[in-house]
Amino acid sequence: MPTAVLDIDAAALPSDIALPRRYGQAVALIRWHGQPVGRVTLPAREGTISPEALRAAVHGAAGERILELRLREWLGVATDPAPPLTRPATVAICTRDRPDDLARCLRALRRMPDDGQQILVVDSASRSDETRRVALAAEVDYVREERPGLDRARNRALLEASHDLVAFTDDDAAPDACWLRALCSGFRDERTLAVTGLTLALELETEAQEWFERTNGFARGFRAIAYDGTKHDPLLAARVGAGVNMALRRSVLERVGFFDDALDAGTPAQSGGDHDMFTRILARGYSIQYEPCATSWHRHRRDWPSLRAAVRGYGIGVYAYLARQWLELGEWRAPVIALGWLRTQLPALARALLRRPGHVPLDVAIYELWGCTQGVGAFLRSRREAGPERRGGGG
């Protein structure tokens, strides 16, 4: 049965929750006065979630965090998690041949308060004119990048942006109304070059979406964290966040360099461009802020072939990213981390083969491992295809 996705504020809990009967359970984001504090899974009986079950689940998952926030409010030290922008920012959507997703994303962005932000659609060499039509109908800025590649589109966005802070969202995401304010609030320290946010599933209507959320979900917790390049390992960049929900200072181009054109979607490497940028930021001694109040909702892959393709692509991207760190940037620990990653995947494959409780579906485990074996070759091929005009390759 599908799982309903709910957004509930514990400061005003509903008396009961009625769902369409096709839902056997619900996953709920719990907030406190708008601030995300936890996530719970709630069973539904005949389309209803009882108030007793809801209160018990909220207390178990977020009671301590809510108590902390209430204490801060009582002491008068609570701060606005999404204060108005003190200066306008640019929101960039890099997209290719997904006009329906783009239209939904733009509708979500229209709910943001008007802080003078620029909305910029970067068309990554779409094969039809639909992307341009959707952007023009929404009356937002539009540019076209003639060569495909997500990192190429990100670089174009940084060059075309009208403002110093550039927030990136994917076309298959729907950010909260205060998402941009919360992201930009993370740039309190001049050493902070990037801010990431909390990304949750927009829907869990299919088995493929359920498994994507379990195995490759983008959530990184409900507390703000500052990742400092002088203290945190740059090669553990996956915990920082993901490119579906991030903002950068444009000065990252001078301080760190461009995104690597040889990485991420639209290239043989398939992913890894965001983690490569996060690693380089931390390696240069700068910091990255994680702000869960910058909440966005991602439409996961709906069908099983798309799920298999996605996990294979992530496997390729992880090892392509590590290959670049090793071969181009001289990071001797990259092969060690690659082997460590493999040590976690092989037991998962074994559990799937033996059908142990809670195991990952066998084909999903196989596709991810298959992708990992292709990562180094994919990066070398990507680097050749990028050619001498490649940006970001020097680190």
Side-chain angles (χ1 to χ4, degrees):
M1 298 177 71
T3 298
V5 176
L6 304 177
D7 190 345
I8 297 173
D9 201 307
L13 286 176
S15 57
D16 55 33
I17 298 175
L19 304 173
R21 289 181 178 269
R22 63 193 181 92
Y23 291 114
Q25 63 179 7
V27 171
L29 170 65
I30 305 302
R31 303 182 193 249
W32 179 255
H33 292 297
Q35 184 167 342
V37 292
R39 182 168 48 169
V40 296
T41 300
L42 301 161
R45 293 184 178 180
E46 298 182 352
T48 301
I49 297 173
S50 71
E52 296 79 14
L54 176 59
R55 285 195 296 270
V58 169
H59 178 75
E64 182 178 333
R65 179 66 172 144
I66 291 172
L67 181 61
E68 177 187 335
L69 292 176
R70 293 184 70 176
L71 180 60
R72 292 177 64 86
E73 292 166 5
W74 183 75
L75 292 173
V77 296
T79 57
D80 187 348
L85 298 184
T86 57
R87 51 180 171 168
T90 292
V91 177
I93 313 167
C94 302
T95 183
R96 187 176 195 230
D97 288 324
R98 295 203 292 203
D100 292 340
D101 279 337
L102 175 62
R104 184 186 58 246
C105 181
L106 289 169
R107 287 195 297 271
L109 295 177
R110 287 195 197 101
R111 298 196 296 267
M112 295 191 305
D114 185 1
D115 291 319
Q117 64 268 16
Q118 174 197 25
I119 308 297
L120 174 64
V121 172
V122 182
D123 186 343
S124 183
S126 290
R127 286 159 290 196
S128 77
D129 196 42
E130 286 301 307
T131 297
R132 186 183 69 85
R133 292 179 183 176
V134 169
L136 295 182
E139 298 182 329
V140 298
D141 293 339
Y142 169 89
V143 294
R144 177 179 171 86
E145 179 66 30
E146 294 300 334
R147 292 188 64 182
L150 178 53
D151 271 3
R152 288 183 182 276
R154 287 167 172 161
N155 287 330
R156 183 70 181 275
L158 288 169
L159 293 172
E160 297 283 347
S162 299
H163 306 296
D164 291 335
L165 299 182
V166 183
F168 289 88
T169 181
D170 288 355
D171 54 13
D172 53 3
D176 272 2
C178 288
W179 166 78
L180 182 61
R181 286 183 171 183
L183 264 187
C184 293
S185 72
F187 290 100
R188 293 177 288 270
D189 188 331
E190 284 300 317
R191 291 178 56 248
T192 301
L193 292 190
V195 179
T196 62
L198 172 68
T199 304
L200 300 171
L202 178 66
E203 61 181 25
L204 294 171
E205 297 291 324
T206 69
E207 187 179 9
Q209 291 179 321
E210 294 268 10
W211 277 108
F212 185 96
E213 180 66 11
R214 293 185 200 180
T215 58
N216 291 278
F218 300 117
R220 298 295 186 269
F222 298 92
R223 289 182 179 273
I225 303 173
Y227 294 95
D228 193 318
T230 64
K231 302 174 183 177
H232 294 91
D233 189 344
L235 285 180
L236 300 181
R239 62 185 177 180
V240 169
V244 63
N245 186 350
M246 68 176 178
L248 299 172
R249 294 186 192 271
R250 289 185 70 196
S251 61
V252 74
L253 296 176
E254 293 78 38
R255 300 183 187 186
V256 176
F258 287 90
F259 284 94
D260 187 351
D261 288 342
L263 292 176
D264 230 301
T267 74
Q270 298 203 31
S271 61
D274 49 357
H275 291 167
D276 176 70
M277 176 58 80
F278 297 155
T279 292
R280 288 155 55 201
I281 288 173
L282 294 175
R284 295 287 179 88
Y286 296 105
S287 65
I288 301 172
Q289 180 72 27
Y290 172 70
E291 290 286 346
C293 290
T295 305
S296 185
W297 305 83
H298 180 259
R299 182 189 61 75
H300 297 341
R301 280 72 171 173
R302 290 178 175 141
D303 59 84
W304 207 259
S306 296
L307 172 63
R308 289 198 299 254
V311 298
R312 174 175 169 264
Y314 289 154
I316 291 173
V318 167
Y319 279 74
Y321 148 74
L322 290 172
R324 164 169 155 73
Q325 293 295 318
W326 179 34
L327 298 175
E328 292 194 341
L329 304 183
E331 179 51 78
W332 62 270
R333 292 181 303 133
V336 178
I337 291 176
L339 290 174
W341 191 291
L342 195 63
R343 288 179 60 186
T344 66
Q345 291 170 313
L346 291 176
L349 179 61
R351 287 194 297 271
L353 285 167
L354 297 173
R355 298 184 181 277
R356 299 296 189 194
H359 68 84
V360 174
L362 180 58
D363 58 344
V364 172
I366 290 173
Y367 267 76
E368 184 172 17
L369 188 59
W370 178 31
C372 294
T373 65
Q374 298 176 298
V376 176
F379 172 67
L380 295 175
R381 189 164 63 256
S382 233
R383 187 169 63 174
R384 288 195 302 270
E385 291 183 5
E389 68 276 17
R390 172 187 170 200
R391 294 168 299 185

